[in-house]
Amino acid sequence: EPEVTQTPSHQVTQMGQEVILRCVPISNHLYFYWYRQILGQKVEFLVSFYNNEISEKSEIFDDQFSVERPDGSNFTLKIRSTKLEDSAMYFCASSGERGVAYEQYFGPGTRLTVT
Amino acid sequence: DQQVKQNSPSLSVQEGRISILNCDYTNSMFDYFLWYKKYPAEGPTFLISISSIKDKNEDGRFTVFLNKSAKHLSLHIVPSQPGDSAVYFCAASDIIGNQFYFGTGTSLTVIP
């Protein structure tokens, strides 16, 4: 069964450093998402992406964040200068269509630890 | 601003009994609701969904009920099995479906 994959599974970085979290969505999907979950808190939407541009982003997704689909398979989230409060699980998701009839498939997540 | 709320952080149920997980929302524009199950160290997995034109959707042991006037939905699992032990998130979206709002999750433990 097709699945969303994410690398690395765990990333440790120092405050102020740049990190890139990578995702490989399901191959025929067109809509891509990033979510994060701070330990003990709810899953929060960060950004959605379609046709090589951001469709929607939350207040969390400020100028420190960017997303890119550099090739036909990868979907990346970059945090330019990490802060301690960026420590969280980051989940990538993809769906075949946007909208209510199509569910998002989630990857296993990348745990980001900022020290 | 928590638009989707799950007020019970945890729930314990005996194997074979019914598990009822509840979710409340505040935004009347929400039109589509989903339940996800999450095991530790894994991403959320889609479980079941319901659109606002229905008040019930059933898939095997899982049934979701929607009460739009009360802005409330619930997930029923019957009979509950130990493998159902996980964190359950409800999520909601408007009809466009570009962004989903998640509740904080309910940790279900099914006791053998």
Side-chain angles (χ1 to χ4, degrees), chain A residues 33 35 37 41-45 48 55-58 89 91 98-104 106-109, chain B residues 1-3 32 34 36 38 41-44 46 49 89 93-100 102-104:
Chain A
Y33 310 83
Y35 294 84
Q37 185 182 24
Q41 298 184 25
K42 64 181 178 180
V43 177
E44 299 172 293
F45 169 79
S48 59
S55 305
E56 189 140 358
K57 59 183 181 179
S58 72
M89 281 291 288
F91 294 104
R98 187 185 70 175
V100 296
Y102 298 93
E103 290 81 27
Q104 298 174 22
F106 284 79
Chain B
D1 176 24
Q2 210 167 323
Q3 299 196 51
Y32 193 65
L34 308 94
Y36 285 87
K38 185 181 179 304
E42 294 184 13
F46 170 75
S49 63
F89 292 97
S93 168
D94 61 18
I95 197 165
I96 296 174
N98 206 22
Q99 182 171 155
F100 285 80
F102 282 77
T104 50

mmCIF file of all heavy atoms in Angstrom, chain A residues 33 35 37 41-45 48 55-58 89 91 98-104 106-109, chain B residues 1-3 32 34 36 38 41-44 46 49 89 93-100 102-104:
data_model
loop_
_atom_site.group_PDB
_atom_site.id
_atom_site.type_symbol
_atom_site.label_atom_id
_atom_site.label_comp_id
_atom_site.label_asym_id
_atom_site.label_seq_id
_atom_site.Cartn_x
_atom_site.Cartn_y
_atom_site.Cartn_z
ATOM 1 N N TYR A 33 0.801 18.777 2.665
ATOM 2 C CA TYR A 33 0.553 19.508 3.905
ATOM 3 C C TYR A 33 1.681 19.244 4.897
ATOM 4 O O TYR A 33 2.293 18.181 4.896
ATOM 5 C CB TYR A 33 -0.765 19.031 4.551
ATOM 6 C CG TYR A 33 -1.948 18.990 3.615
ATOM 7 C CD1 TYR A 33 -2.159 17.895 2.778
ATOM 8 C CD2 TYR A 33 -2.866 20.035 3.571
ATOM 9 C CE1 TYR A 33 -3.235 17.851 1.921
ATOM 10 C CE2 TYR A 33 -3.956 19.991 2.711
ATOM 11 C CZ TYR A 33 -4.131 18.900 1.887
ATOM 12 O OH TYR A 33 -5.211 18.850 1.033
ATOM 13 N N TYR A 35 2.086 19.534 9.172
ATOM 14 C CA TYR A 35 1.491 19.755 10.485
ATOM 15 C C TYR A 35 2.599 19.586 11.516
ATOM 16 O O TYR A 35 3.616 18.956 11.252
ATOM 17 C CB TYR A 35 0.404 18.711 10.794
ATOM 18 C CG TYR A 35 -0.822 18.782 9.929
ATOM 19 C CD1 TYR A 35 -0.855 18.156 8.689
ATOM 20 C CD2 TYR A 35 -1.961 19.448 10.359
ATOM 21 C CE1 TYR A 35 -1.992 18.200 7.887
ATOM 22 C CE2 TYR A 35 -3.110 19.493 9.572
ATOM 23 C CZ TYR A 35 -3.114 18.865 8.343
ATOM 24 O OH TYR A 35 -4.240 18.905 7.565
ATOM 25 N N GLN A 37 3.138 18.796 15.939
ATOM 26 C CA GLN A 37 2.535 18.499 17.229
ATOM 27 C C GLN A 37 3.603 18.697 18.294
ATOM 28 O O GLN A 37 4.540 17.890 18.389
ATOM 29 C CB GLN A 37 1.972 17.081 17.284
ATOM 30 C CG GLN A 37 1.231 16.794 18.577
ATOM 31 C CD GLN A 37 0.711 15.375 18.657
ATOM 32 O OE1 GLN A 37 1.218 14.472 18.005
ATOM 33 N NE2 GLN A 37 -0.310 15.169 19.462
ATOM 34 N N GLN A 41 0.540 18.418 23.107
ATOM 35 C CA GLN A 41 -0.450 19.365 22.594
ATOM 36 C C GLN A 41 -1.117 18.822 21.332
ATOM 37 O O GLN A 41 -0.851 17.706 20.904
ATOM 38 C CB GLN A 41 0.216 20.716 22.324
ATOM 39 C CG GLN A 41 0.794 21.359 23.569
ATOM 40 C CD GLN A 41 1.352 22.734 23.311
ATOM 41 O OE1 GLN A 41 0.953 23.432 22.382
ATOM 42 N NE2 GLN A 41 2.282 23.151 24.160
ATOM 43 N N LYS A 42 -1.995 19.627 20.764
ATOM 44 C CA LYS A 42 -2.761 19.152 19.612
ATOM 45 C C LYS A 42 -1.935 19.215 18.335
ATOM 46 O O LYS A 42 -0.904 19.868 18.256
ATOM 47 C CB LYS A 42 -4.018 20.005 19.447
ATOM 48 C CG LYS A 42 -3.735 21.457 19.137
ATOM 49 C CD LYS A 42 -5.008 22.251 19.005
ATOM 50 C CE LYS A 42 -4.706 23.725 18.729
ATOM 51 N NZ LYS A 42 -5.927 24.516 18.603
ATOM 52 N N VAL A 43 -2.424 18.486 17.341
ATOM 53 C CA VAL A 43 -1.839 18.558 16.008
ATOM 54 C C VAL A 43 -2.251 19.888 15.388
ATOM 55 O O VAL A 43 -3.430 20.226 15.340
ATOM 56 C CB VAL A 43 -2.329 17.383 15.132
ATOM 57 C CG1 VAL A 43 -1.783 17.495 13.720
ATOM 58 C CG2 VAL A 43 -1.944 16.051 15.750
ATOM 59 N N GLU A 44 -1.270 20.655 14.896
ATOM 60 C CA GLU A 44 -1.547 21.996 14.361
ATOM 61 C C GLU A 44 -1.199 22.050 12.880
ATOM 62 O O GLU A 44 -0.136 21.602 12.465
ATOM 63 C CB GLU A 44 -0.712 23.058 15.085
ATOM 64 C CG GLU A 44 -0.977 23.148 16.576
ATOM 65 C CD GLU A 44 0.018 24.079 17.239
ATOM 66 O OE1 GLU A 44 1.223 23.742 17.278
ATOM 67 O OE2 GLU A 44 -0.413 25.151 17.712
ATOM 68 N N PHE A 45 -2.069 22.652 12.119
ATOM 69 C CA PHE A 45 -1.830 22.853 10.691
ATOM 70 C C PHE A 45 -0.764 23.921 10.493
ATOM 71 O O PHE A 45 -0.780 24.967 11.150
ATOM 72 C CB PHE A 45 -3.139 23.271 10.021
ATOM 73 C CG PHE A 45 -2.996 23.769 8.615
ATOM 74 C CD1 PHE A 45 -2.853 22.878 7.565
ATOM 75 C CD2 PHE A 45 -2.996 25.124 8.334
ATOM 76 C CE1 PHE A 45 -2.732 23.341 6.255
ATOM 77 C CE2 PHE A 45 -2.869 25.592 7.039
ATOM 78 C CZ PHE A 45 -2.730 24.696 5.996
ATOM 79 N N SER A 48 -0.481 24.275 3.478
ATOM 80 C CA SER A 48 -0.871 23.378 2.396
ATOM 81 C C SER A 48 -0.277 23.895 1.093
ATOM 82 O O SER A 48 -0.027 25.092 0.933
ATOM 83 C CB SER A 48 -2.396 23.259 2.297
ATOM 84 O OG SER A 48 -2.975 24.529 2.060
ATOM 85 N N SER A 55 -1.121 27.047 -0.772
ATOM 86 C CA SER A 55 -2.553 27.303 -0.865
ATOM 87 C C SER A 55 -3.054 28.047 0.357
ATOM 88 O O SER A 55 -3.877 28.954 0.261
ATOM 89 C CB SER A 55 -3.322 25.988 -0.985
ATOM 90 O OG SER A 55 -2.861 25.231 -2.050
ATOM 91 N N GLU A 56 -2.572 27.619 1.494
ATOM 92 C CA GLU A 56 -3.007 28.219 2.745
ATOM 93 C C GLU A 56 -1.925 28.002 3.790
ATOM 94 O O GLU A 56 -1.194 27.013 3.737
ATOM 95 C CB GLU A 56 -4.310 27.571 3.209
ATOM 96 C CG GLU A 56 -4.976 28.244 4.365
ATOM 97 C CD GLU A 56 -6.484 28.304 4.201
ATOM 98 O OE1 GLU A 56 -7.008 27.845 3.163
ATOM 99 O OE2 GLU A 56 -7.136 28.825 5.111
ATOM 100 N N LYS A 57 -1.815 28.924 4.711
ATOM 101 C CA LYS A 57 -0.855 28.759 5.798
ATOM 102 C C LYS A 57 -1.447 29.322 7.073
ATOM 103 O O LYS A 57 -2.300 30.198 7.047
ATOM 104 C CB LYS A 57 0.469 29.446 5.481
ATOM 105 C CG LYS A 57 0.357 30.936 5.230
ATOM 106 C CD LYS A 57 1.714 31.522 4.858
ATOM 107 C CE LYS A 57 1.591 33.030 4.629
ATOM 108 N NZ LYS A 57 2.898 33.635 4.277
ATOM 109 N N SER A 58 -0.977 28.786 8.187
ATOM 110 C CA SER A 58 -1.479 29.228 9.478
ATOM 111 C C SER A 58 -0.586 30.348 10.021
ATOM 112 O O SER A 58 0.462 30.680 9.445
ATOM 113 C CB SER A 58 -1.510 28.060 10.455
ATOM 114 O OG SER A 58 -0.199 27.705 10.832
ATOM 115 N N MET A 89 7.003 17.288 16.863
ATOM 116 C CA MET A 89 6.889 16.305 15.789
ATOM 117 C C MET A 89 6.305 17.016 14.588
ATOM 118 O O MET A 89 5.299 17.715 14.701
ATOM 119 C CB MET A 89 5.952 15.162 16.196
ATOM 120 C CG MET A 89 6.567 14.128 17.090
ATOM 121 S SD MET A 89 7.809 13.131 16.267
ATOM 122 C CE MET A 89 6.792 12.131 15.185
ATOM 123 N N PHE A 91 4.651 16.455 10.942
ATOM 124 C CA PHE A 91 4.020 15.459 10.088
ATOM 125 C C PHE A 91 3.760 16.048 8.708
ATOM 126 O O PHE A 91 3.238 17.157 8.572
ATOM 127 C CB PHE A 91 2.677 15.005 10.668
ATOM 128 C CG PHE A 91 2.786 14.263 11.960
ATOM 129 C CD1 PHE A 91 2.475 14.871 13.170
ATOM 130 C CD2 PHE A 91 3.201 12.936 11.977
ATOM 131 C CE1 PHE A 91 2.574 14.183 14.362
ATOM 132 C CE2 PHE A 91 3.300 12.246 13.170
ATOM 133 C CZ PHE A 91 2.996 12.860 14.371
ATOM 134 N N ARG A 98 -7.966 17.999 -3.234
ATOM 135 C CA ARG A 98 -8.289 18.875 -2.115
ATOM 136 C C ARG A 98 -9.773 18.747 -1.859
ATOM 137 O O ARG A 98 -10.557 18.558 -2.766
ATOM 138 C CB ARG A 98 -7.971 20.317 -2.465
ATOM 139 C CG ARG A 98 -8.123 21.282 -1.301
ATOM 140 C CD ARG A 98 -7.920 22.696 -1.746
ATOM 141 N NE ARG A 98 -9.012 23.162 -2.582
ATOM 142 C CZ ARG A 98 -9.110 24.415 -3.013
ATOM 143 N NH1 ARG A 98 -8.177 25.289 -2.719
ATOM 144 N NH2 ARG A 98 -10.126 24.771 -3.753
ATOM 145 N N GLY A 99 -10.112 18.849 -0.609
ATOM 146 C CA GLY A 99 -11.539 18.892 -0.352
ATOM 147 C C GLY A 99 -12.018 17.763 0.504
ATOM 148 O O GLY A 99 -11.293 16.835 0.824
ATOM 149 N N VAL A 100 -13.259 17.860 0.802
ATOM 150 C CA VAL A 100 -13.811 17.047 1.872
ATOM 151 C C VAL A 100 -13.890 15.569 1.534
ATOM 152 O O VAL A 100 -13.950 14.741 2.408
ATOM 153 C CB VAL A 100 -15.197 17.575 2.250
ATOM 154 C CG1 VAL A 100 -15.091 18.978 2.814
ATOM 155 C CG2 VAL A 100 -16.142 17.566 1.055
ATOM 156 N N ALA A 101 -13.891 15.237 0.264
ATOM 157 C CA ALA A 101 -14.073 13.830 -0.065
ATOM 158 C C ALA A 101 -12.783 13.047 -0.020
ATOM 159 O O ALA A 101 -12.806 11.830 -0.146
ATOM 160 C CB ALA A 101 -14.698 13.709 -1.448
ATOM 161 N N TYR A 102 -11.685 13.706 0.204
ATOM 162 C CA TYR A 102 -10.413 13.030 0.077
ATOM 163 C C TYR A 102 -9.595 13.177 1.342
ATOM 164 O O TYR A 102 -9.299 14.273 1.778
ATOM 165 C CB TYR A 102 -9.644 13.573 -1.124
ATOM 166 C CG TYR A 102 -10.398 13.325 -2.405
ATOM 167 C CD1 TYR A 102 -11.251 14.291 -2.916
ATOM 168 C CD2 TYR A 102 -10.296 12.116 -3.071
ATOM 169 C CE1 TYR A 102 -11.983 14.060 -4.071
ATOM 170 C CE2 TYR A 102 -11.007 11.876 -4.227
ATOM 171 C CZ TYR A 102 -11.843 12.844 -4.723
ATOM 172 O OH TYR A 102 -12.562 12.612 -5.849
ATOM 173 N N GLU A 103 -9.247 12.030 1.882
ATOM 174 C CA GLU A 103 -8.543 12.050 3.153
ATOM 175 C C GLU A 103 -7.058 12.280 2.939
ATOM 176 O O GLU A 103 -6.500 11.946 1.906
ATOM 177 C CB GLU A 103 -8.757 10.739 3.887
ATOM 178 C CG GLU A 103 -10.160 10.547 4.401
ATOM 179 C CD GLU A 103 -11.114 10.070 3.336
ATOM 180 O OE1 GLU A 103 -10.669 9.419 2.383
ATOM 181 O OE2 GLU A 103 -12.320 10.374 3.457
ATOM 182 N N GLN A 104 -6.457 12.816 3.954
ATOM 183 C CA GLN A 104 -5.022 13.038 3.936
ATOM 184 C C GLN A 104 -4.320 11.837 4.551
ATOM 185 O O GLN A 104 -4.743 11.307 5.573
ATOM 186 C CB GLN A 104 -4.684 14.303 4.719
ATOM 187 C CG GLN A 104 -5.297 15.550 4.121
ATOM 188 C CD GLN A 104 -5.079 16.779 4.963
ATOM 189 O OE1 GLN A 104 -4.163 16.832 5.779
ATOM 190 N NE2 GLN A 104 -5.896 17.784 4.779
ATOM 191 N N PHE A 106 -0.970 10.534 6.263
ATOM 192 C CA PHE A 106 0.125 11.120 7.036
ATOM 193 C C PHE A 106 1.371 10.249 7.004
ATOM 194 O O PHE A 106 1.295 9.025 6.985
ATOM 195 C CB PHE A 106 -0.298 11.293 8.497
ATOM 196 C CG PHE A 106 -1.217 12.465 8.716
ATOM 197 C CD1 PHE A 106 -2.565 12.374 8.420
ATOM 198 C CD2 PHE A 106 -0.728 13.659 9.215
ATOM 199 C CE1 PHE A 106 -3.416 13.456 8.625
ATOM 200 C CE2 PHE A 106 -1.571 14.741 9.421
ATOM 201 C CZ PHE A 106 -2.904 14.635 9.125
ATOM 202 N N GLY A 107 2.515 10.923 7.030
ATOM 203 C CA GLY A 107 3.770 10.219 7.237
ATOM 204 C C GLY A 107 3.993 9.946 8.712
ATOM 205 O O GLY A 107 3.209 10.381 9.558
ATOM 206 N N PRO A 108 5.057 9.242 9.027
ATOM 207 C CA PRO A 108 5.311 8.851 10.414
ATOM 208 C C PRO A 108 5.836 9.986 11.280
ATOM 209 O O PRO A 108 5.884 9.860 12.496
ATOM 210 C CB PRO A 108 6.355 7.746 10.278
ATOM 211 C CG PRO A 108 7.074 8.082 9.012
ATOM 212 C CD PRO A 108 6.040 8.680 8.101
ATOM 213 N N GLY A 109 6.237 11.082 10.652
ATOM 214 C CA GLY A 109 6.696 12.235 11.423
ATOM 215 C C GLY A 109 8.201 12.301 11.555
ATOM 216 O O GLY A 109 8.916 11.293 11.464
ATOM 217 N N ASP B 1 -7.285 29.923 20.178
ATOM 218 C CA ASP B 1 -8.677 29.745 19.772
ATOM 219 C C ASP B 1 -8.864 28.295 19.337
ATOM 220 O O ASP B 1 -8.457 27.910 18.252
ATOM 221 C CB ASP B 1 -9.003 30.698 18.613
ATOM 222 C CG ASP B 1 -10.411 30.473 18.097
ATOM 223 O OD1 ASP B 1 -11.236 29.970 18.875
ATOM 224 O OD2 ASP B 1 -10.662 30.787 16.945
ATOM 225 N N GLN B 2 -9.490 27.526 20.195
ATOM 226 C CA GLN B 2 -9.595 26.106 19.931
ATOM 227 C C GLN B 2 -10.947 25.843 19.288
ATOM 228 O O GLN B 2 -11.974 25.842 19.966
ATOM 229 C CB GLN B 2 -9.460 25.345 21.242
ATOM 230 C CG GLN B 2 -8.851 23.987 21.089
ATOM 231 C CD GLN B 2 -8.438 23.410 22.436
ATOM 232 O OE1 GLN B 2 -7.984 24.123 23.305
ATOM 233 N NE2 GLN B 2 -8.652 22.129 22.589
ATOM 234 N N GLN B 3 -10.946 25.609 18.024
ATOM 235 C CA GLN B 3 -12.199 25.438 17.302
ATOM 236 C C GLN B 3 -12.730 24.022 17.406
ATOM 237 O O GLN B 3 -13.907 23.784 17.150
ATOM 238 C CB GLN B 3 -12.005 25.813 15.842
ATOM 239 C CG GLN B 3 -11.574 27.260 15.656
ATOM 240 C CD GLN B 3 -11.752 27.729 14.244
ATOM 241 O OE1 GLN B 3 -12.814 27.587 13.643
ATOM 242 N NE2 GLN B 3 -10.703 28.296 13.673
ATOM 243 N N TYR B 32 -17.133 19.076 7.373
ATOM 244 C CA TYR B 32 -16.603 17.733 7.177
ATOM 245 C C TYR B 32 -15.768 17.388 8.393
ATOM 246 O O TYR B 32 -14.977 18.202 8.863
ATOM 247 C CB TYR B 32 -15.748 17.705 5.913
ATOM 248 C CG TYR B 32 -15.401 16.339 5.418
ATOM 249 C CD1 TYR B 32 -16.391 15.475 4.962
ATOM 250 C CD2 TYR B 32 -14.082 15.911 5.375
ATOM 251 C CE1 TYR B 32 -16.083 14.221 4.499
ATOM 252 C CE2 TYR B 32 -13.764 14.655 4.906
ATOM 253 C CZ TYR B 32 -14.759 13.818 4.464
ATOM 254 O OH TYR B 32 -14.451 12.581 4.002
ATOM 255 N N LEU B 34 -13.522 14.302 10.587
ATOM 256 C CA LEU B 34 -12.777 13.054 10.470
ATOM 257 C C LEU B 34 -12.284 12.616 11.842
ATOM 258 O O LEU B 34 -12.085 13.429 12.734
ATOM 259 C CB LEU B 34 -11.545 13.232 9.563
ATOM 260 C CG LEU B 34 -11.739 13.841 8.199
ATOM 261 C CD1 LEU B 34 -11.489 15.336 8.251
ATOM 262 C CD2 LEU B 34 -10.772 13.215 7.199
ATOM 263 N N TYR B 36 -9.071 10.380 13.431
ATOM 264 C CA TYR B 36 -7.779 9.773 13.178
ATOM 265 C C TYR B 36 -7.363 9.003 14.419
ATOM 266 O O TYR B 36 -7.670 9.387 15.551
ATOM 267 C CB TYR B 36 -6.712 10.824 12.874
ATOM 268 C CG TYR B 36 -6.793 11.450 11.515
ATOM 269 C CD1 TYR B 36 -7.602 12.559 11.281
ATOM 270 C CD2 TYR B 36 -6.050 10.933 10.453
ATOM 271 C CE1 TYR B 36 -7.670 13.136 10.032
ATOM 272 C CE2 TYR B 36 -6.112 11.508 9.194
ATOM 273 C CZ TYR B 36 -6.918 12.606 8.992
ATOM 274 O OH TYR B 36 -6.984 13.172 7.748
ATOM 275 N N LYS B 38 -3.919 7.438 16.350
ATOM 276 C CA LYS B 38 -2.475 7.618 16.349
ATOM 277 C C LYS B 38 -1.836 6.737 17.402
ATOM 278 O O LYS B 38 -2.150 6.822 18.589
ATOM 279 C CB LYS B 38 -2.122 9.086 16.609
ATOM 280 C CG LYS B 38 -0.626 9.373 16.499
ATOM 281 C CD LYS B 38 -0.318 10.811 16.794
ATOM 282 C CE LYS B 38 1.179 11.066 16.714
ATOM 283 N NZ LYS B 38 1.957 10.190 17.589
ATOM 284 N N ALA B 41 4.817 7.194 18.216
ATOM 285 C CA ALA B 41 5.899 7.208 17.227
ATOM 286 C C ALA B 41 5.408 6.976 15.794
ATOM 287 O O ALA B 41 6.204 6.654 14.906
ATOM 288 C CB ALA B 41 6.969 6.178 17.571
ATOM 289 N N GLU B 42 4.116 7.132 15.565
ATOM 290 C CA GLU B 42 3.594 7.022 14.205
ATOM 291 C C GLU B 42 2.773 8.259 13.861
ATOM 292 O O GLU B 42 2.347 9.005 14.740
ATOM 293 C CB GLU B 42 2.725 5.775 14.046
ATOM 294 C CG GLU B 42 3.484 4.481 14.193
ATOM 295 C CD GLU B 42 2.588 3.280 13.939
ATOM 296 O OE1 GLU B 42 1.469 3.459 13.412
ATOM 297 O OE2 GLU B 42 3.002 2.152 14.283
ATOM 298 N N GLY B 43 2.542 8.488 12.578
ATOM 299 C CA GLY B 43 1.663 9.566 12.162
ATOM 300 C C GLY B 43 0.207 9.175 12.330
ATOM 301 O O GLY B 43 -0.125 7.995 12.457
ATOM 302 N N PRO B 44 -0.674 10.162 12.348
ATOM 303 C CA PRO B 44 -2.106 9.857 12.438
ATOM 304 C C PRO B 44 -2.561 9.029 11.240
ATOM 305 O O PRO B 44 -2.093 9.223 10.122
ATOM 306 C CB PRO B 44 -2.763 11.245 12.430
ATOM 307 C CG PRO B 44 -1.690 12.201 12.820
ATOM 308 C CD PRO B 44 -0.417 11.619 12.295
ATOM 309 N N PHE B 46 -6.011 7.782 9.177
ATOM 310 C CA PHE B 46 -7.432 8.053 8.992
ATOM 311 C C PHE B 46 -8.276 6.854 9.420
ATOM 312 O O PHE B 46 -7.957 5.700 9.118
ATOM 313 C CB PHE B 46 -7.700 8.379 7.522
ATOM 314 C CG PHE B 46 -9.157 8.437 7.186
ATOM 315 C CD1 PHE B 46 -9.912 9.518 7.563
ATOM 316 C CD2 PHE B 46 -9.765 7.387 6.520
ATOM 317 C CE1 PHE B 46 -11.260 9.572 7.276
ATOM 318 C CE2 PHE B 46 -11.117 7.425 6.230
ATOM 319 C CZ PHE B 46 -11.863 8.519 6.604
ATOM 320 N N SER B 49 -14.920 9.155 8.508
ATOM 321 C CA SER B 49 -15.301 10.555 8.319
ATOM 322 C C SER B 49 -16.807 10.684 8.196
ATOM 323 O O SER B 49 -17.523 9.683 8.030
ATOM 324 C CB SER B 49 -14.633 11.109 7.060
ATOM 325 O OG SER B 49 -15.087 10.411 5.913
ATOM 326 N N PHE B 89 -7.866 11.433 17.463
ATOM 327 C CA PHE B 89 -8.055 12.851 17.189
ATOM 328 C C PHE B 89 -9.285 13.035 16.308
ATOM 329 O O PHE B 89 -9.469 12.309 15.335
ATOM 330 C CB PHE B 89 -6.861 13.420 16.421
ATOM 331 C CG PHE B 89 -5.586 13.477 17.197
ATOM 332 C CD1 PHE B 89 -4.643 12.474 17.077
ATOM 333 C CD2 PHE B 89 -5.313 14.544 18.035
ATOM 334 C CE1 PHE B 89 -3.450 12.521 17.784
ATOM 335 C CE2 PHE B 89 -4.124 14.609 18.747
ATOM 336 C CZ PHE B 89 -3.195 13.589 18.630
ATOM 337 N N SER B 93 -13.164 20.473 9.043
ATOM 338 C CA SER B 93 -12.801 21.340 7.931
ATOM 339 C C SER B 93 -14.054 22.003 7.386
ATOM 340 O O SER B 93 -15.162 21.465 7.523
ATOM 341 C CB SER B 93 -12.139 20.515 6.831
ATOM 342 O OG SER B 93 -12.018 21.255 5.646
ATOM 343 N N ASP B 94 -13.883 23.141 6.714
ATOM 344 C CA ASP B 94 -15.009 23.688 5.968
ATOM 345 C C ASP B 94 -15.147 22.920 4.653
ATOM 346 O O ASP B 94 -14.405 21.977 4.395
ATOM 347 C CB ASP B 94 -14.837 25.181 5.717
ATOM 348 C CG ASP B 94 -13.589 25.497 4.897
ATOM 349 O OD1 ASP B 94 -13.049 24.593 4.232
ATOM 350 O OD2 ASP B 94 -13.145 26.663 4.938
ATOM 351 N N ILE B 95 -16.064 23.308 3.823
ATOM 352 C CA ILE B 95 -16.370 22.524 2.627
ATOM 353 C C ILE B 95 -15.219 22.543 1.623
ATOM 354 O O ILE B 95 -15.086 21.647 0.803
ATOM 355 C CB ILE B 95 -17.685 23.017 1.990
ATOM 356 C CG1 ILE B 95 -18.233 21.970 1.018
ATOM 357 C CG2 ILE B 95 -17.495 24.377 1.322
ATOM 358 C CD1 ILE B 95 -19.660 22.188 0.632
ATOM 359 N N ILE B 96 -14.348 23.546 1.720
ATOM 360 C CA ILE B 96 -13.233 23.600 0.782
ATOM 361 C C ILE B 96 -12.195 22.551 1.130
ATOM 362 O O ILE B 96 -11.588 21.950 0.266
ATOM 363 C CB ILE B 96 -12.617 25.020 0.780
ATOM 364 C CG1 ILE B 96 -13.654 26.012 0.261
ATOM 365 C CG2 ILE B 96 -11.351 25.069 -0.061
ATOM 366 C CD1 ILE B 96 -13.232 27.449 0.338
ATOM 367 N N GLY B 97 -12.003 22.351 2.409
ATOM 368 C CA GLY B 97 -11.106 21.285 2.841
ATOM 369 C C GLY B 97 -9.634 21.569 2.684
ATOM 370 O O GLY B 97 -8.823 20.660 2.580
ATOM 371 N N ASN B 98 -9.267 22.822 2.690
ATOM 372 C CA ASN B 98 -7.862 23.145 2.526
ATOM 373 C C ASN B 98 -7.106 23.101 3.842
ATOM 374 O O ASN B 98 -5.893 23.001 3.855
ATOM 375 C CB ASN B 98 -7.730 24.534 1.911
ATOM 376 C CG ASN B 98 -6.427 24.673 1.148
ATOM 377 O OD1 ASN B 98 -5.840 23.683 0.732
ATOM 378 N ND2 ASN B 98 -5.983 25.872 0.970
ATOM 379 N N GLN B 99 -7.813 23.192 4.908
ATOM 380 C CA GLN B 99 -7.168 23.232 6.209
ATOM 381 C C GLN B 99 -8.041 22.488 7.201
ATOM 382 O O GLN B 99 -9.248 22.666 7.222
ATOM 383 C CB GLN B 99 -7.008 24.681 6.655
ATOM 384 C CG GLN B 99 -6.304 24.831 7.979
ATOM 385 C CD GLN B 99 -5.964 26.277 8.311
ATOM 386 O OE1 GLN B 99 -5.830 26.624 9.467
ATOM 387 N NE2 GLN B 99 -5.815 27.125 7.319
ATOM 388 N N PHE B 100 -7.400 21.644 7.993
ATOM 389 C CA PHE B 100 -8.133 20.868 8.970
ATOM 390 C C PHE B 100 -7.709 21.297 10.364
ATOM 391 O O PHE B 100 -6.536 21.508 10.630
ATOM 392 C CB PHE B 100 -7.863 19.366 8.773
ATOM 393 C CG PHE B 100 -8.578 18.795 7.577
ATOM 394 C CD1 PHE B 100 -8.072 18.977 6.302
ATOM 395 C CD2 PHE B 100 -9.761 18.093 7.728
ATOM 396 C CE1 PHE B 100 -8.740 18.466 5.191
ATOM 397 C CE2 PHE B 100 -10.421 17.570 6.626
ATOM 398 C CZ PHE B 100 -9.910 17.758 5.361
ATOM 399 N N PHE B 102 -7.562 20.267 14.270
ATOM 400 C CA PHE B 102 -7.550 19.055 15.082
ATOM 401 C C PHE B 102 -7.912 19.353 16.532
ATOM 402 O O PHE B 102 -7.571 20.411 17.072
ATOM 403 C CB PHE B 102 -6.158 18.420 15.057
ATOM 404 C CG PHE B 102 -5.851 17.662 13.805
ATOM 405 C CD1 PHE B 102 -5.521 18.324 12.632
ATOM 406 C CD2 PHE B 102 -5.882 16.272 13.789
ATOM 407 C CE1 PHE B 102 -5.241 17.623 11.472
ATOM 408 C CE2 PHE B 102 -5.596 15.560 12.628
ATOM 409 C CZ PHE B 102 -5.271 16.233 11.477
ATOM 410 N N GLY B 103 -8.558 18.383 17.170
ATOM 411 C CA GLY B 103 -8.727 18.425 18.614
ATOM 412 C C GLY B 103 -7.436 17.983 19.289
ATOM 413 O O GLY B 103 -6.464 17.604 18.630
ATOM 414 N N THR B 104 -7.442 18.014 20.594
ATOM 415 C CA THR B 104 -6.224 17.702 21.354
ATOM 416 C C THR B 104 -6.017 16.214 21.556
ATOM 417 O O THR B 104 -4.971 15.790 22.023
ATOM 418 C CB THR B 104 -6.257 18.384 22.727
ATOM 419 O OG1 THR B 104 -7.513 18.097 23.335
ATOM 420 C CG2 THR B 104 -6.086 19.883 22.587
#
